[in-house]
Amino acid sequence: MSTTLITNIGELTTNVSSPLGRSGTLTDAAVLIEGERIAWVGPASDVPALPGGYLEVDAEGRAVIPGFVDSHSHIVFGGDRAAEFEARMAGEKYAAGGIRSTVAATRGASDDELRARLRGFLDEMLAQGTTTVEIKSGYGLDVETEARLVRLAAEVTPEVTFLGAHVVPAEYADRGDEYVELVIGDMLDACAPHSKWIDVFCETGAFTVPQSRRVLEAGIARGLKPRVHASQLGPGEGVQLAIELGAASVDHGTYLSDEDVAALAASDTVLTALPGVEFSTRHPFPDARRLIDAGVTVAIACDTNPGSSFTSSMPFCIALAVREMGMTTAEAVWAATAGGAAALQRDDIGVIAPGKRADLVLLDAPTRVHLAYRPGVPLVKKVWKDGVAVR
Ligand code: NIG
Ligand code: FE
């Protein structure tokens, strides 16, 4: 078993004993990694006596944070939609129907092409400090392609989400209810064995509340856990449905009523904000300050996808959250680490404490504040995943 001591850490974000939205930090700290787990955390002056043969990494006063937990991505797809983005920046509106053009490109791509692309995205995420990623299907929208997508995702993460109900495909135009029958029938049969989560895009232009309920309840009956895309493009009842069905997370939440906020605060459902979407679609950013002050647990994720948010950078999303969503840097870093872990109902990641997975990021900066203070600058110096230095 390998042993690594990271010492001389100027600011260590542990996320331990943190009340909602706050992050525990230690200064002049050290972390001991044994195998794939964290063995000890404390002041650099109190490191326990160690047998020889361990690796010592001198952080030289830099900051260390937990690896980012990106709890929302759509990174198995073919093609891209750069022209759509360009048109949007020139004034076009974002609409859910754009998903269909990626469906055509994805159906036409081979497994090897999709796998190479997926692994490329994972590499770029790792280089930016992401050590856990959730991956959704949703660009196949037929039984065979959706099954391919969840299988490919399951090769690289346990956090696989079946999103057959992403949009109604062109061949089912005006037959949304029939498509839902397919999703909860043959498609669910083919995808459930490779998936942990069931998701639905509950939004005008995608699926109605009754259709979304059918999809989620069918997934739950097959042992999948619910998470929901809701209130991205306008207000709706998706948030209330997600809470009623005990969803781990409701994602987007750009347009929330006071009732939605109160219901979230009274629930165990995390609100996962996706500020890359507002950046890329020119919708208003969600008001995280309002949510946190009401007692809602807020996570941040990238939502990497070719349509609404083609960034894979958690540091960029943290900078947006601080600049545009009213979060402190401490809250944004918590949301991107422990918050993501909560959205995935994981208690082994997102925290730097003995017994947790050794997923850590050494920043090339003295404090985590620099993640928002120096936007766009590559500040990730070193990454450990499961105790292995991967960057
Ligand atoms: O999370 N909201 C639905 N799905 C994606 C967008 C997908 C696309 O435009 O291709 C999202 O934003
Ligand atoms: Fe999404």
Side-chain angles (χ1 to χ4, degrees):
M1 186 169 65
S2 68
T3 301
T4 303
L5 177 69
I6 312 170
T7 188
N8 201 9
I9 300 169
E11 179 195 81
L12 176 69
T13 297
T14 63
N15 288 337
V16 171
S17 68
S18 52
L20 263 190
R22 297 246 153 77
S23 301
T25 56
L26 289 174
T27 50
D28 300 323
V31 175
L32 183 66
I33 300 170
E34 278 177 355
E36 57 185 35
R37 299 274 169 174
I38 293 164
W40 180 90
V41 179
S45 53
D46 288 4
V47 174
L50 293 169
Y54 66 90
L55 181 72
E56 184 168 321
V57 175
D58 185 350
E60 297 175 331
R62 296 184 179 88
V64 169
I65 61 173
F68 295 123
V69 180
D70 189 344
S71 60
H72 185 140
S73 89
H74 308 245
I75 53 174
V76 211
F77 63 87
D80 77 22
R81 283 153 49 199
E84 181 190 304
F85 174 79
E86 189 81 327
R88 202 155 59 235
M89 292 305 106
E92 290 291 320
K93 284 213 168 1
Y94 174 83
I99 293 169
R100 293 194 189 103
S101 67
T102 298
V103 169
T106 304
R107 287 177 181 173
S110 69
D111 280 6
D112 282 347
E113 286 164 344
L114 294 172
R115 187 181 284 117
R117 196 89 188 283
L118 167 62
R119 290 185 187 251
F121 289 129
L122 289 176
D123 282 350
E124 79 184 29
M125 288 171 157
L126 208 52
Q128 297 170 96
T130 298
T131 48
T132 302
V133 61
E134 177 265 13
I135 303 175
K136 302 175 197 299
S137 70
Y139 289 118
L141 310 188
D142 61 31
V143 174
E144 186 206 328
T145 317
E146 283 295 307
R148 288 170 61 208
L149 301 188
V150 290
R151 259 193 264 109
L152 288 165
E155 290 177 2
V156 298
T157 183
E159 304 301 338
V160 177
T161 300
F162 168 48
L163 179 60
H166 198 184
V167 77
V168 177
E171 64 273 21
Y172 278 85
D174 302 321
R175 293 189 294 138
D177 286 339
E178 271 179 60
Y179 180 65
V180 168
E181 290 300 323
L182 178 70
V183 169
I184 67 178
D186 290 352
M187 206 183 275
L188 182 60
D189 286 344
C191 294
H194 309 284
S195 306
K196 171 175 170 184
W197 302 99
I198 177 82
D199 196 347
V200 58
F201 187 13
C202 182
E203 193 87 37
T204 304
F207 295 90
T208 64
V209 172
Q211 288 170 338
S212 300
R213 177 187 290 280
R214 292 195 70 204
V215 170
L216 294 169
E217 286 180 343
I220 292 166
R222 289 295 294 265
L224 303 184
K225 298 185 190 192
R227 45 198 322 105
V228 180
H229 283 71
S231 298
Q232 172 188 353
L233 303 172
E237 291 160 44
V239 173
Q240 302 287 345
L241 176 68
I243 294 168
E244 181 197 324
L245 296 180
S249 178
V250 56
D251 297 34
H252 290 284
T254 307
Y255 296 91
L256 296 178
S257 66
D258 289 346
E259 292 70 30
D260 291 338
V261 175
L264 282 164
S267 77
D268 291 331
T269 299
V270 174
L271 187 288
T272 302
L274 308 167
V277 173
E278 281 71 42
F279 176 86
S280 169
T281 60
R282 293 195 194 276
H283 276 256
F285 286 85
D287 184 352
R289 185 78 272 131
R290 172 189 181 211
L291 291 164
I292 292 172
D293 289 349
V296 177
T297 302
V298 176
I300 296 172
C302 286
D303 193 10
T304 312
N305 77 79
S308 66
S309 175
F310 205 7
T311 181
S312 58
S313 171
M314 291 293 274
F316 174 63
C317 292
I318 287 170
L320 289 178
V322 171
R323 173 69 175 78
E324 304 287 351
M325 289 165 44
M327 297 178 95
T328 65
T329 316
E331 288 166 342
V333 171
W334 188 93
T337 53
L344 295 174
Q345 298 184 334
R346 293 273 301 267
D347 60 9
D348 58 336
I349 53 176
V351 170
I352 297 179
K356 304 299 181 186
R357 285 196 172 276
D359 293 353
L360 301 97
V361 175
L362 172 63
L363 297 177
D364 196 3
T367 76
R368 62 191 177 196
V369 173
H370 287 237
L371 288 167
Y373 176 43
R374 306 206 64 212
V377 177
L379 293 181
V380 172
K381 189 169 175 62
K382 212 165 171 53
V383 180
W384 289 264
K385 178 163 171 56
D386 296 328
V388 177
V390 287
R391 300 286 307 187

